[in-house]
Amino acid sequence: MNGPATEIRVLLLTDVVDSTKLSERLGDEVMAGLWAAHDRAARDLLREWRGREIDKTDGMLLMFQAANDAVRYVDAYHRALATLPVPLRARAGLHVGPVVLRHNSDADVALGAKPLEVDGLAKPTVARVMAAAAGGQTLLTAEARAALADTPLRIHCHGHWAMKGLGDPIELFEVGGPDKVFELPPDSEKAYQVARVDDQWQAVREIPNNLPQQVTSFVGREREVREVSDLVATTRLVTLLGMGGLGKTRLSLRVATNALGLFPDGVWFLDLAPIRDPALVVSEAAQTLGVREEPDRPLIQTLCLAVKSCRLLLILDNCEHVVKASADFAAAILRASPKVHILASSREALRVPGERSYPVPPLPLPDQRADMGALTRSAAVRLFVERAQLHKPAFALNERDAPAVVELVRRLEGIPLALELAAARVRSLSVAEINARLKDRYKLLTGGGRVLLERQQTLRALVDWSYELLTPSEQTVLNRLSIFAGGFDLPAAETVCGAEPVSSDDVLDHLSSLVEKSLVMTGEVEDGTRYRMLETIRDYAREKLQGADDAAATAESHCQHYFAVAKNVRDGLKGSEQAKWVQRGEAELDNMRAAIAGVLTGPDAVLAVKYAVALTSFWTLRGYTSEGRKIVQAARSQPAVKASDIAYAHALFVEAALATDQNDHAEARDMLETCLALRRLHGRPVEIAATLSTLSQVQLQGGDAAGAAASEREALAIFREIGEKLGEAIALLHLGQIAVYAGDEALAHSSLSDCLRIARAIENREIEGEVHLRLGEWAFEHGRHRDARNDLYRSLELSREAGDRRGEVHALWWLGRTDLQAGDLDAARGRFDDVLQTFRDFEMREELADCLEDHAILACLDGEPATAARLAGATHEFRRRRDLVLSPVGQRRWEQRLRTLREALPEAAFNEAWTRGRNTEIDDAIAAAQAHATDRVPAR
């Protein structure tokens, strides 16, 4: 054996936690396989990060040349353990120090000795550090921290810890990735945190505090804990803001527990909720801190003197009802002592100089389509499940109930108290039954614990607490704001809320106050600030509004305001700022829906028709065709609409225009002919021309090209006579489409060129994009594929600029056809799959059939002719049932494609697949096409 050598080395010691319990649960055979998987993962990473294995038990003693290699290794090691068939958690300690290396001879190794053995003080040091860690933690000594060069990993100091067998306390650091939540190591007999007080070491567990012990788990809030902890360490006053029930108190206590080592003179919790007299805030603080009142001296002065040289943290919880007294107290303490830090929680800021506000949001909501893995990581889901298990131990998240749990946490908006109250109901209701009863959440969510504050026992009591602290004017504004759906801007709030007893000039101040009190939330948008309310608050305020004298007037004001918005959207879509007005329409869509719903159930149903007229272009552009048709159908059935020829004609026109987009030709034609007769009777030129122009599209889709041309030429003449440029451009576009259908290249080119010139002059991106789409289609059908792609890409660009989703999907579809023609099947597959779903969502039946046909050809080229024949059969039957008429060009393409499919299969096989396809429902055919496209996506 060679003589020992002393060297400075990097030692890493790992240990798999709870391995004995795991062995008992899994059995020896399964555990042996798991250990083998662990060792493979650990050793594979060891080669990557240039480490050396020294010893092996439930973990490993490893040695590295560089500290950076060691921390990268251990970060990867933790992640690798989480991916094992049975996930493992390990603790790890890292130290850099002198070691004695003994290299054993080959003979000794043959007798069972290790090739290399390590001794020296560094070895017990790294063992003590590792023992202080919890599962998933990597702790470093100060020497290891100093040896690290730049690293992308985050490093957090946990203060000094006393450890058995070591002299002075050692400073411990924790290392982890960007999402790592740093928590104090377990406070055990092996190690305990210490702080230096007057140059003496004192155990953190002995640092004076009155932090209440929590009997339920703390779930989620990793980012908030990290950010607030950083603020508390560097900022004298931090105030957590948010409505009641968001968990501000639990967050404060979590941060305070982690911060004990920073405040050797104590961490003190003051619960101000029971206090009703603001003058008692100082008395409560004095009692908590053990400060007695002195004769002839104000108690606040005595308090300030007592903490003048102290390094402590004060938690002021629930300040909102005594906010002025809390602010005065905090300001006085901060002025008196430079070492005191304050962490407050309140519905509104204290407004003390130097204060840092930290809004506490609800828990993040899981995606509606999240898989089980994502749901188990969702804090909102975990909180509900853990609290539900307190009431029903057998409750568990499973595949069957997961959708209902997602619905529940989303409807309760991630509000922790609401989730806990809902969890109490699992004793007697399923999650689906709880969801069914959430229409009256205030009646349902009443199961809070008896020892909690009264306002925490029911959701209604919680919101009552906040509501009763408002001034009467603030209450009135909050009630009126509940009429808004999906958010609102300041002009809308001033219009709707600015009526007696509140003036419109005062709305901004009241709204700002509600924002500060966390009852209204804000968000920045491109054109300013947008406001919204949580549904929990909105439901409460809406109930108050419905019982108030101003409910009807507020609804009327809201309806009229958004009718003006709808008209502005209509006019904006005609000009050069289409994209801006599309965004405005989307932003206010929920408010317009709410207004229309209110009108349809009231006496003025004609206003619903006016809304529909204003929103027709928006509905068409954004794919809300079915929604628009339902609204107009409901309006058209109202007596007030039937009694007015003008209103009824408008309703017929809008419904027909929307039906045209969904290829309901016969129904649309009947409505348009009735509408045209009414409008000719009343002599309204613009409306007559618009009806004729829309009728021409229906006639063309029904195969009547001559009738379509006659209707459109009459419309064009009227538009030109009255100088209506937008109408003239649309008429020319339609004439170009008719010429393309009929194969008249000269007429198509001249009509589309004239349309393009006008569209550019009036800066209408939608029509300009449509012209390039038609030119691209024409070029494609005549074999000029380069020209086709140029026009189609230009159409795509213009459609996106205009926010025209229909134009965008058409351009993508035809680009997919050019990909197919060029033999780029993967590109075509991706485009066809996307647009097929959009055509289905928009109920664009003619385009849906054509795209399904494209999928059939794609399947044939992929070498699956039977799938292709089934899709073709389904397409044929869908067209037949829907009376979808192909253009001459489309008919020729279809016949050629059928010949291709027949040649790819024996006759009997083709007929069998074709018949199966004809007996397939269209939704099943779409699913089959999408499944084929997904299966063929190349591996990345």
Side-chain angles (χ1 to χ4, degrees):
M1 184 166 61
N2 297 328
T6 301
E7 303 179 24
I8 301 296
R9 289 299 175 92
V10 179
L11 294 185
L12 175 69
L13 184 61
T14 67
D15 177 56
V16 175
V17 299
D18 295 329
S19 58
T20 301
K21 293 181 181 178
L22 202 57
S23 294
E24 293 173 352
R25 181 165 64 87
L26 298 177
D28 292 341
E29 184 176 348
V30 174
M31 198 63 195
L34 187 58
W35 276 127
H38 166 276
D39 293 350
R40 281 195 302 273
R43 287 165 179 154
D44 287 346
L45 291 170
L46 200 59
R47 287 192 293 270
E48 181 179 354
W49 296 108
R50 298 171 293 280
R52 181 169 182 175
E53 181 180 342
I54 304 299
D55 201 357
K56 167 74 172 68
T57 54
D58 283 356
M60 291 182 171
L61 176 62
L62 310 171
M63 188 167 66
F64 295 82
Q65 292 291 336
N68 277 64
D69 288 343
V71 296
R72 285 176 175 269
Y73 168 86
V74 76
D75 181 61
Y77 171 71
H78 284 308
R79 287 186 277 111
L81 294 194
T83 65
L84 294 179
V86 177
L88 298 177
R89 285 168 61 83
R91 51 185 178 170
L94 183 66
H95 176 56
V96 176
V99 297
V100 176
L101 302 179
R102 293 199 307 273
H103 296 272
N104 291 323
S105 67
D106 292 342
D108 291 333
V109 172
L111 293 174
K114 298 178 177 63
L116 179 66
E117 295 190 47
V118 172
D119 284 317
L121 184 59
K123 187 174 179 180
T125 299
V126 75
R128 297 300 183 193
V129 172
M130 181 274 289
Q137 275 192 316
T138 300
L139 298 180
L140 290 67
T141 62
E143 291 82 358
R145 172 67 182 92
L148 282 176
D150 292 337
T151 173
L153 300 176
R154 296 170 51 244
I155 298 174
H156 178 79
C157 177
H158 282 309
H160 289 77
W161 288 71
M163 296 187 179
K164 184 178 179 180
L166 301 180
D168 291 333
I170 62 174
E171 191 173 12
L172 290 184
F173 297 83
E174 187 175 356
V175 64
D179 298 325
K180 175 68 179 175
V181 178
F182 296 124
E183 298 187 20
L184 288 174
D187 189 358
S188 69
E189 295 180 359
K190 296 179 181 178
Y192 58 89
Q193 193 178 7
V194 294
R196 189 177 289 280
V197 181
D198 296 329
D199 209 34
Q200 298 293 320
W201 293 107
Q202 176 181 349
V204 164
R205 62 186 175 190
E206 297 170 5
I207 288 178
N209 72 85
N210 68 336
L211 297 179
Q213 296 300 307
Q214 302 304 302
V215 296
T216 56
S217 59
F218 183 85
V219 179
R221 299 291 192 199
E222 290 85 359
R223 178 180 60 83
E224 289 90 340
V225 169
R226 181 173 66 248
E227 293 176 350
V228 176
S229 295
D230 290 344
L231 285 174
V232 166
T234 58
T235 306
R236 301 285 311 286
L237 172 60
V238 179
T239 303
L240 304 181
L241 299 179
M243 60 169 278
L246 289 179
K248 300 185 298 297
T249 299
R250 290 298 300 267
L251 178 58
S252 296
L253 293 173
R254 185 70 162 191
V255 169
T257 300
N258 289 356
L260 277 169
L262 301 176
F263 300 100
D265 293 314
V267 175
W268 304 101
F269 180 78
L270 280 70
D271 184 5
L272 303 180
I275 293 176
R276 291 294 178 266
D277 183 356
L280 297 179
V281 169
V282 175
S283 299
E284 181 71 17
Q287 182 177 355
T288 300
L289 293 171
V291 176
R292 294 187 177 184
E293 192 168 1
E294 297 179 359
D296 302 323
R297 175 178 287 175
L299 182 56
I300 186 64
Q301 287 187 14
T302 305
L303 260 175
C304 289
L305 285 172
V307 301
K308 184 175 182 179
S309 59
C310 291
R311 187 177 177 183
L312 56 82
L313 174 66
L314 291 176
I315 313 293
L316 303 183
D317 197 43
N318 295 303
C319 298
E320 55 271 355
H321 62 300
V322 285
V323 66
K324 177 65 166 60
S326 300
D328 291 342
F329 169 73
I333 293 295
L334 294 175
R335 284 195 301 268
S337 172
K339 297 179 182 179
V340 171
H341 288 222
I342 297 176
L343 176 58
S345 67
S346 177
R347 197 185 55 181
E348 58 184 306
L350 303 188
R351 297 184 184 177
V352 172
E355 177 184 28
R356 284 289 300 272
S357 296
Y358 186 94
V360 178
L363 294 172
L365 300 178
D367 188 91
Q368 288 175 315
R369 297 180 297 275
D371 59 23
M372 287 295 291
L375 292 183
T376 57
R377 294 190 297 272
S378 165
V381 171
R382 283 164 45 214
L383 178 66
F384 174 76
V385 170
E386 289 189 21
R387 297 302 187 263
Q389 288 169 343
L390 296 177
H391 301 281
K392 186 177 182 180
F395 183 88
L397 182 67
N398 54 49
E399 293 279 1
R400 184 194 63 192
D401 294 333
V405 172
V406 171
E407 179 186 352
L408 177 70
V409 299
R410 290 182 65 85
R411 289 179 65 183
L412 293 181
E413 303 169 292
I415 299 173
L417 179 63
L419 293 172
E420 295 192 1
L421 293 173
R425 288 292 185 181
V426 302
R427 288 189 296 257
S428 54
L429 296 172
S430 70
V431 179
E433 289 171 330
I434 295 173
N435 283 328
R437 294 170 180 267
L438 275 181
K439 292 179 181 178
D440 188 355
R441 66 186 68 194
Y442 289 103
K443 183 177 180 180
L444 179 70
L445 303 181
T446 59
R450 293 186 179 90
V451 298
L452 297 175
L453 291 171
E454 182 180 348
R455 71 170 187 270
Q456 295 173 329
Q457 294 179 14
T458 72
L459 189 62
R460 179 176 296 280
L462 175 74
V463 184
D464 280 340
W465 164 265
S466 293
Y467 189 81
E468 290 164 5
L469 292 174
L470 301 176
T471 67
S473 292
E474 288 171 344
Q475 290 177 349
T476 297
V477 170
L478 184 70
N479 297 346
R480 292 174 178 174
L481 290 176
S482 70
I483 199 74
F484 292 105
F488 54 93
D489 56 20
L490 179 58
E494 290 174 329
T495 300
V496 174
C497 301
E500 287 295 330
V502 178
S503 89
S504 59
D505 292 339
D506 294 332
V507 169
L508 174 58
D509 288 340
H510 293 318
L511 181 58
S512 299
S513 179
L514 292 172
V515 171
E516 290 179 0
K517 292 176 171 63
S518 308
L519 294 172
V520 174
M521 294 182 290
T522 64
E524 295 298 321
V525 293
E526 188 173 337
D527 55 351
T529 301
R530 193 157 181 86
Y531 304 87
R532 70 180 182 92
M533 300 165 69
L534 289 175
E535 282 302 305
T536 297
I537 302 299
R538 183 172 178 253
D539 284 353
Y540 180 93
R542 190 69 182 270
E543 183 182 297
K544 296 285 188 182
L545 177 64
Q546 289 171 347
D549 295 336
D550 59 344
T554 301
E556 172 68 15
S557 179
H558 176 270
C559 183
Q560 291 297 331
H561 176 79
Y562 284 102
F563 180 50
V565 170
K567 291 190 291 184
N568 289 337
V569 170
R570 173 200 63 195
D571 296 339
L573 292 179
K574 298 176 182 177
S576 60
E577 295 184 307
Q578 280 180 294
K580 168 188 171 183
W581 287 102
V582 162
Q583 292 172 359
R584 182 69 192 281
E586 287 286 357
E588 303 297 2
L589 183 57
D590 287 337
N591 277 305
M592 293 187 286
R593 285 168 172 162
I596 293 169
V599 170
L600 284 173
T601 58
D604 190 13
V606 172
L607 186 54
V609 177
K610 294 179 180 179
Y611 258 106
V613 171
L615 291 173
T616 302
S617 293
F618 175 78
W619 283 337
T620 301
L621 282 173
R622 302 302 289 172
Y624 299 118
T625 311
S626 295
E627 178 183 341
R629 287 185 73 177
K630 290 177 183 177
I631 289 171
V632 182
Q633 287 166 357
R636 193 154 61 91
S637 67
Q638 299 297 314
V641 176
K642 291 179 178 179
S644 168
D645 282 353
I646 293 175
Y648 194 69
H650 278 309
L652 287 170
F653 175 77
V654 172
E655 189 178 349
L658 297 174
T660 301
D661 285 333
Q662 295 184 333
N663 314 116
D664 287 340
H665 309 137
E667 188 177 354
R669 185 165 186 163
D670 289 344
M671 288 188 288
L672 286 168
E673 288 174 348
T674 302
C675 174
L676 184 60
L678 288 172
R679 286 179 166 178
R680 287 192 192 280
L681 180 65
H682 289 277
R684 302 169 77 90
V686 174
E687 294 167 7
I688 291 169
T691 308
L692 285 165
S693 186
T694 304
L695 179 60
S696 79
Q697 289 287 284
V698 175
Q699 292 168 318
L700 182 63
Q701 290 176 345
D704 182 7
S711 296
E712 201 64 69
R713 283 194 292 268
E714 183 182 353
L716 178 61
I718 295 173
F719 283 134
R720 281 176 170 168
E721 182 180 349
I722 61 178
E724 174 55 57
K725 287 296 183 184
L726 178 59
E728 181 181 356
I730 293 172
L732 287 167
L733 174 64
H734 291 173
L735 286 171
Q737 291 176 255
I738 295 166
V740 168
Y741 181 96
D744 189 337
E745 182 173 4
L747 180 58
H749 187 269
S750 64
S751 297
L752 292 175
S753 296
D754 289 345
C755 174
L756 187 60
R757 174 179 50 79
I758 296 173
R760 287 173 175 169
I762 63 175
E763 299 184 84
N764 190 296
R765 298 285 185 270
E766 176 197 352
I767 296 176
E768 188 179 350
E770 182 83 359
V771 172
H772 280 287
L773 177 68
R774 301 306 171 191
L775 290 172
E777 292 176 15
W778 180 270
F780 176 82
E781 299 291 6
H782 289 77
R784 302 195 303 272
H785 296 138
R786 178 177 294 180
D787 292 341
R789 289 183 75 82
N790 289 339
D791 275 310
L792 292 172
Y793 271 117
R794 180 59 179 154
S795 175
L796 179 63
E797 179 183 8
L798 290 164
S799 297
R800 285 174 171 168
E801 287 180 11
D804 179 1
R805 292 180 65 194
R806 290 176 63 87
E808 179 181 352
V809 73
H810 271 110
L812 287 169
W813 175 36
W814 278 92
L815 283 167
R817 287 182 157 182
T818 65
D819 293 330
L820 189 64
Q821 184 68 34
D824 190 347
L825 302 190
D826 288 336
R829 195 182 341 271
R831 296 196 205 272
F832 288 159
D833 193 33
D834 290 342
V835 300
L836 182 67
Q837 186 62 45
T838 306
F839 288 152
R840 177 189 188 180
D841 294 343
F842 286 14
E843 298 187 53
M844 298 163 66
R845 300 182 181 98
E846 191 170 282
E847 292 88 344
L848 176 62
D850 288 351
C851 190
L852 200 56
E853 178 189 322
D854 291 330
H855 271 278
I857 293 302
L858 190 59
C860 186
L861 293 173
D862 282 332
E864 297 187 23
T867 298
R870 288 198 301 272
L871 293 176
T875 302
H876 172 81
E877 185 63 17
F878 181 67
R879 285 194 178 117
R880 188 190 67 78
R881 291 180 183 177
R882 289 288 182 174
D883 292 325
L884 302 177
V885 179
L886 287 166
S887 68
V889 172
Q891 185 64 37
R892 288 194 296 272
R893 182 193 302 113
W894 171 242
E895 292 171 355
Q896 175 59 46
R897 287 179 163 182
L898 279 182
R899 284 195 294 272
T900 300
L901 294 180
R902 287 183 181 276
E903 292 168 359
L905 279 172
E907 182 176 358
F910 175 85
N911 291 336
E912 191 273 336
W914 174 267
T915 301
R916 284 183 59 193
R918 291 193 63 178
N919 292 326
T920 300
E921 294 296 327
I922 192 63
D923 284 347
D924 293 333
I926 292 169
Q930 292 174 326
H932 169 78
T934 301
D935 290 343
R936 289 285 177 158
V937 172
R940 295 184 178 179

